[in-house]
Amino acid sequence: ARIEDLSSTMAKYLETKAEFDQALKDAGDKLVVVDFTVAWSGACNSIAPKFNMFSEEFSKHGIFYFVDTDKNSETAGTQNIFNLPTFIAYKNGMKLDQVNEANECSLRGMIKKYI
């Protein structure tokens, strides 16, 4: 795949609570997976490339987003994020499941469970 093709499947950042709410609404019954992260965390930075890889791999089945909890603390607060990274799966605007660690196998398992 060409670089410009990949950019359309890479996870995008949701900068505000309004963007987060709109993303869940727009997804309808499609799976949405959100990586709640921070730039300064080694664990968050180590799993981010895998998250982008899953965004590409499962692009036909789901939509993937990042939320930087330092920049979008309102969303992190409403989603009760205490550990970073935290990955949450949503469908029809409802939380289905979450993974509270930078574990590729656990993350893949959660995604595959709901697609």
Side-chain angles (χ1 to χ4, degrees):
R2 297 191 325 263
I3 295 294
E4 54 270 16
D5 294 338
L6 293 177
S7 65
S8 65
T9 59
M10 289 180 60
K12 294 176 177 45
Y13 278 86
L14 299 173
E15 305 287 342
T16 65
K17 175 78 167 62
E19 282 184 18
F20 174 82
D21 293 341
Q22 193 63 49
L24 292 185
K25 183 179 175 187
D26 290 348
D29 64 357
K30 201 167 191 181
L31 179 68
V32 174
V33 184
V34 180
D35 176 355
F36 290 88
T37 186
V38 286
W40 49 262
S41 165
C44 291
N45 290 327
S46 70
I47 195 74
K50 301 290 187 206
F51 188 74
N52 271 322
M53 182 184 74
F54 292 153
S55 176
E56 183 181 351
E57 181 179 342
F58 299 111
S59 63
K60 290 181 175 42
H61 306 286
I63 306 167
F64 294 73
Y65 295 105
F66 290 104
V67 169
D68 183 322
T69 61
D70 281 344
K71 295 179 180 174
N72 189 351
S73 59
E74 183 183 5
T75 298
T78 63
Q79 299 304 302
N80 299 311
I81 303 303
F82 299 106
N83 301 319
L84 296 171
T86 293
F87 304 91
I88 301 183
Y90 303 88
K91 199 176 262 191
N92 295 313
M94 302 294 293
K95 178 179 167 183
L96 300 173
D97 206 349
Q98 76 181 53
V99 171
N100 296 316
E101 60 183 341
N103 183 300
E104 180 181 352
C105 293
S106 298
L107 178 55
R108 178 184 287 278
M110 180 183 73
I111 294 166
K112 292 186 87 164
K113 183 176 178 181
Y114 296 105
I115 57 172

